[in-house]
Amino acid sequence: MLPSPATRIPSIGVFDSGVGGLTVLKALREQLPGVPLRYLADTAHAPYGDRSSEYIIDRSVKVAEHLHRVGAVMAVVACNTATAHAVQAMRERWPHWPVVGIEPGVKPAVAATRNGRIGVMATTATIASRRYEQLVAAHASDVELISQPCPGLVTLIERGDLRSAELGELVDRYCATLRAAGVDTVLLGCTHYPLIQARIQAALGDGVRLLNIEDAVARQARRVWEGFGLTPGGDAGIVLESTGDPAPLQHLAREALGWRDVTASRVAA
Ligand code: DGL
């Protein structure tokens, strides 16, 4: 059984609009096995990817406020959409609270492609963001980059049935565009998508390489955590909380991550 860290024990606060950030949480657990982790899924307000920048900032700051209040000494924004729109607002609000975000790994994708054609699957709001535009301008000027917004995918993943036919049809539709463009590398620019990586790989075919950067984000978080010089008190539990129905979060943590004893509860934020 995974013990739960009590309120105010130094921990790392992690959030996403929903279950997607579990993919980052898993990488964090591997990098920082002795550190208490608190995860908050903003399930009641997911998905963020079809919302305005103002909405995403407002929700991200409210969720971060909760993590800050319960003793997280740093935050990991396990959501590309929230990182693109809200990290700056968080840093302005808490200038001394380290915040690590996740962004589509355009630079590693450019390094990986052999034919110079890259696909990016991400939410509509990530692709529309100024930050994404900057990333592409900085790193992808010498390649052909096809940005594929994937509305609806997060909503279906949030339902928890990763094998549904409806989800498969949507994956096929978005991947068909990328296949037609002849990409050899596809970037998963939303933390929900690695949960259905096998389905995306099947739709794109074996010749296409999938990239995600959850491990790199966890390594960055480890560097920040180590800078605190804290000695964890032997209680390295994981707290899972949701602003909505906690059942899908608990289900996926148990099924997809194999954390059989973990429980999730509902909180207001
Ligand atoms: N996991 C979030 C991301 O990485 C999904 C955003 C959404 O809620 O649409 O972008």
Side-chain angles (χ1 to χ4, degrees):
M1 167 104 181
L2 291 163
S4 298
T7 297
R8 300 232 150 264
I9 290 178
S11 58
I12 297 179
V14 185
F15 79 88
D16 177 41
S17 61
V19 298
L22 287 176
T23 59
V24 178
L25 197 67
K26 179 169 182 275
L28 283 167
R29 175 82 304 170
E30 283 160 16
Q31 286 293 324
L32 293 157
V35 175
L37 302 172
R38 297 194 71 109
Y39 183 88
L40 181 50
D42 196 13
T43 314
H45 305 93
Y48 286 178
D50 305 322
R51 304 286 197 157
S52 69
S53 196
E54 292 72 26
Y55 184 91
I56 297 164
I57 292 170
D58 179 61
R59 284 312 310 162
S60 299
V61 169
K62 285 197 172 97
V63 164
E65 178 84 59
H66 173 84
L67 295 170
H68 192 261
R69 201 173 44 242
V70 296
V73 295
M74 60 181 283
V76 175
V77 183
C79 174
N80 292 262
T81 311
T83 300
H85 291 272
V87 151
Q88 198 181 331
M90 288 174 62
R91 291 187 175 134
E92 281 165 15
R93 172 86 178 256
W94 299 283
H96 304 296
W97 197 44
V99 176
V100 174
I102 183 164
E103 297 185 315
V106 175
K107 195 175 172 188
V110 170
T113 182
R114 295 168 304 276
N115 72 1
R117 285 198 287 278
I118 294 167
V120 181
M121 298 173 75
T123 67
T124 306
T126 293
I127 289 172
S129 70
R130 166 82 71 83
R131 181 62 197 147
Y132 181 70
E133 193 185 326
Q134 289 168 344
L135 272 177
V136 172
H139 303 295
S141 50
D142 293 334
V143 298
E144 194 183 327
L145 184 138
I146 295 99
S147 301
Q148 178 61 57
C150 303
L153 271 193
V154 165
T155 304
L156 291 178
I157 294 169
E158 284 294 313
R159 284 186 199 157
D161 181 5
L162 304 184
R163 296 185 191 90
S164 78
E166 204 181 350
L167 185 56
E169 281 161 25
L170 209 50
V171 167
D172 285 348
R173 189 185 327 153
Y174 296 138
C175 289
T177 313
L178 298 174
R179 277 176 78 122
V183 301
D184 72 354
T185 305
V186 169
L187 197 49
L188 300 182
C190 168
T191 54
H192 280 71
Y193 303 164
L195 292 168
I196 52 164
Q197 182 150 342
R199 298 196 82 163
I200 294 173
Q201 186 73 68
L204 288 170
D206 286 342
V208 175
R209 180 167 174 195
L210 290 184
L211 290 184
N212 54 54
I213 63 159
E214 281 71 17
D215 290 339
V217 170
R219 286 195 297 276
Q220 172 63 12
R222 190 184 70 193
R223 284 190 282 276
V224 176
W225 172 269
E226 286 171 351
F228 289 120
L230 290 167
T231 310
D235 181 356
I238 292 176
V239 170
L240 295 184
E241 291 173 327
S242 164
T243 58
D245 178 5
L249 179 65
Q250 180 174 302
H251 171 75
L252 271 180
R254 292 183 177 191
E255 296 304 313
L257 271 48
W259 295 345
R260 297 282 166 212
D261 297 324
V262 81
T263 55
S265 55
R266 187 190 295 247
V267 290

